[in-house]
Every structure is written in structure tokens, then in C-alpha cells.
Amino acid sequence: ETENKSDSEADQANDGDAKSEANEELPPLGVDYSEFSKELMVDSLQKLLDRRPIQEIRYEVENIKSAFYKRHHLVMEEKKAAFLESGGKEEEFKLPNDPLEDQYKELYSSYRQRKLEYNKVLEVQKVDNLEKKKEIIESIKNLIHSQDSLNKTFNDFRDLQNESRAVGPVPQ
């Protein structure tokens, strides 16, 4: 019996370790990306998309976007300046292809697609909630003509009011 108890305690400890490792892998929110390299920004965006719900990462994605393009433009300006210093003409300068920018654009596109899908689901849910609220309003209207005691009518009204609050957001 003590062996079984020890085994189950060890299993619980291992489960706890796995949970803490999973939590440590979640990318943090509220990070200042301005000092990150482009590679690290792309990696951070990938981790956010893989490990966080889409509705939690809007500000992070926008901060990465801003920092990424600031860094990208700075690097491109440096390359242009180096080209001009080496005797090249400005009209002959072509921006080199940046695989990190391509990877970033792909990730950002994926984010936008997932956000769009999430918003569609949310809108359907809001329409369903609106129908539920309309039903509750009809029930409240029916209470006006109820022949029940005032106390019972008031309690029914309060229940409907609480039910209405619990329904959730509706389209605006």
C-alpha cells in the first residue's frame, strides 16, 4: 500500500513539473520589443501564435510589428548608405530580399487570419446572445400580466435579470 501511495505521489509531482514547464514556455505579455533583434522578434511572434490564445496577443503583435519595421527600416537605410558610400548611385540601389521579413509577413498573415476567424465566431455568439436576451425581455413583459403574487413576480423578475446579465455580449 505504501508503494502505491509513493507511486501516486511521484505521478502527482511529475504532473506538477509538466504543468510548471508548460507555464514557463508561455511567452510573456507586455514585453518591450524595441531592443530585440529581428530574429528574436520573429521567434517571439511565432511563440505567441503557437502558445497563446489569439484574443490575448493583439497588443504584443502590434508592438512586434512596430519594432520589427523600425529595425527593418534602420537596417535597410544602413545598407543603402553603405551602397552610396561605396560609389553606387541612389537610383541603382535595390532593397535586398530579407528572408526574416518574408517569415514575419507570413506569421503576421497567419495572425490576421486567426483573428478574423475568432471575430467571426464571436459575432455569431453575439447574435445568439441577442436572441437569448430578446427571449428574456419577452418573459419580463409576460410578468407584467402575471396573476402571481407580487413577491413571486419580483423574484421571477430578479431571476430573469440575473439570467440576462449572464448571457454575455450582444452586437452593437
Side-chain angles (χ1 to χ4, degrees):
E1 187 176 312
T2 56
E3 287 180 23
N4 289 343
K5 189 174 186 181
S6 300
D7 289 343
S8 67
E9 287 174 1
D11 289 343
Q12 288 175 354
N14 289 340
D15 288 347
D17 291 344
K19 287 178 186 175
S20 66
E21 286 175 16
N23 287 341
E24 288 175 16
E25 292 179 14
L26 278 178
L29 299 176
V31 175
D32 178 14
Y33 295 98
S34 62
E35 300 298 320
F36 280 38
S37 68
K38 290 187 342 182
E39 294 86 358
L40 199 50
M41 285 185 242
V42 169
D43 184 53
S44 295
L45 181 57
Q46 180 70 55
K47 286 179 182 175
L48 286 168
L49 289 171
D50 289 345
R51 300 180 186 153
R52 289 250 183 214
I54 200 73
Q55 66 271 23
E56 286 183 5
I57 61 173
R58 176 180 173 207
Y59 293 109
E60 298 303 308
V61 171
E62 294 304 319
N63 288 339
I64 290 172
K65 178 182 177 182
S66 175
F68 182 88
Y69 279 109
K70 282 180 184 176
R71 173 86 40 172
H72 179 72
H73 291 299
L74 183 66
V75 168
M76 291 302 147
E77 286 299 320
E78 289 172 356
K79 288 183 179 184
K80 184 177 180 180
F83 177 77
L84 294 176
E85 283 180 18
S86 67
K89 295 182 181 178
E90 187 169 348
E91 52 274 353
E92 293 174 358
F93 179 74
K94 292 182 182 178
L95 289 176
N97 187 23
D98 184 357
L100 278 174
E101 183 183 21
D102 295 340
Q103 188 179 0
Y104 169 80
K105 285 180 178 180
E106 187 178 309
L107 290 171
Y108 189 74
S109 177
S110 170
Y111 162 74
R112 290 178 50 93
Q113 183 62 35
R114 289 177 52 195
K115 183 178 163 195
L116 182 67
E117 290 168 7
Y118 171 78
N119 286 338
K120 284 180 184 177
V121 169
L122 192 60
E123 283 304 312
V124 168
Q125 185 180 20
K126 285 181 178 182
V127 170
D128 290 346
N129 290 346
L130 180 62
E131 291 304 315
K132 289 176 187 174
K133 285 206 178 202
K134 285 180 180 179
E135 290 172 10
I136 292 170
I137 289 170
E138 285 303 313
S139 297
I140 291 173
K141 286 179 182 179
N142 292 336
L143 284 178
I144 294 172
H145 305 295
S146 174
Q147 300 297 321
D148 294 334
S149 71
L150 187 59
N151 194 27
K152 180 176 179 350
T153 302
F154 181 73
N155 287 336
D156 290 345
F157 172 75
R158 183 163 289 167
D159 291 342
L160 289 169
Q161 190 178 35
N162 289 335
E163 189 178 327
S164 176
R165 288 183 185 131
V167 166
V170 296
Q172 302 212 357

